[in-house]
Amino acid sequence: MPEPTGTGPFSPEQNAYLIINRQMTPLVKKVIRLGRLLENDIVFPEVSVSRFHAEIRFEDGKYVLYDQESTTGTFVNSKKIERCVLNSGDLISISDIQMMFVKNDARLVDIAKGTTRTLRPDE
């Protein structure tokens, strides 16, 4: 699959993150793949997560989340999506995993640490 092109060069100084399980994961590539297989950039070892579940692409200066025809769907702020431009503070759900997209907003980092859930139900 060809890499999407954005306007201008991509740099990790975009200050965009996914906060997953109280950990900040910087988005440092134009395409971030999420899913169950190890070939993904972010791996969720859950049977309810599709092998290639979703992608976040940096396009025209925006981060866009795409569902990759996953079995259980991809949700942003509790709404099922096929494609969605992400805004700082958006809550993304893949199966029973929640994460927050944060861009240039340190205040949301502290809030997100309390709203994302662990991958293990016993914690």
Side-chain angles (χ1 to χ4, degrees):
M1 177 179 279
E3 297 255 335
T5 57
T7 56
F10 181 79
S11 71
E13 291 78 39
Q14 298 295 326
N15 294 322
Y17 305 90
L18 284 182
I19 300 178
I20 309 165
N21 193 21
R22 298 185 179 117
Q23 294 182 1
M24 293 179 62
T25 302
L27 304 181
V28 295
K29 294 170 57 179
K30 281 191 178 185
V31 178
I32 303 289
R33 293 178 174 89
L34 301 93
R36 192 175 71 236
L37 291 183
L38 293 176
E39 289 86 5
N40 291 290
D41 299 298
I42 300 174
V43 177
F44 300 106
E46 304 286 320
V47 293
S48 56
V49 174
S50 294
R51 292 174 292 171
F52 297 102
H53 199 103
E55 287 183 353
I56 298 174
R57 300 180 193 166
F58 186 72
E59 300 175 331
D60 299 321
K62 298 180 179 98
Y63 288 89
V64 184
L65 176 65
Y66 290 88
D67 182 75
Q68 297 295 299
E69 299 179 7
S70 64
T71 304
T72 56
T74 301
F75 296 80
V76 174
N77 301 325
S78 302
K79 239 180 167 173
K80 190 172 184 176
I81 62 100
E82 290 182 21
R83 176 190 181 280
C84 179
V85 174
L86 294 172
N87 296 300
S88 193
D90 281 346
L91 192 60
I92 301 167
S93 300
I94 292 177
S95 184
D96 61 351
I97 300 162
Q98 293 185 341
M99 62 199 88
M100 183 179 277
F101 173 78
V102 179
K103 183 176 178 189
N104 295 324
D105 194 339
R107 180 184 61 83
L108 285 175
V109 171
D110 288 332
I111 294 170
K113 287 179 182 176
T115 61
T116 57
R117 287 189 284 156
T118 177
L119 296 175
R120 295 191 179 98
D122 59 336
E123 289 182 9

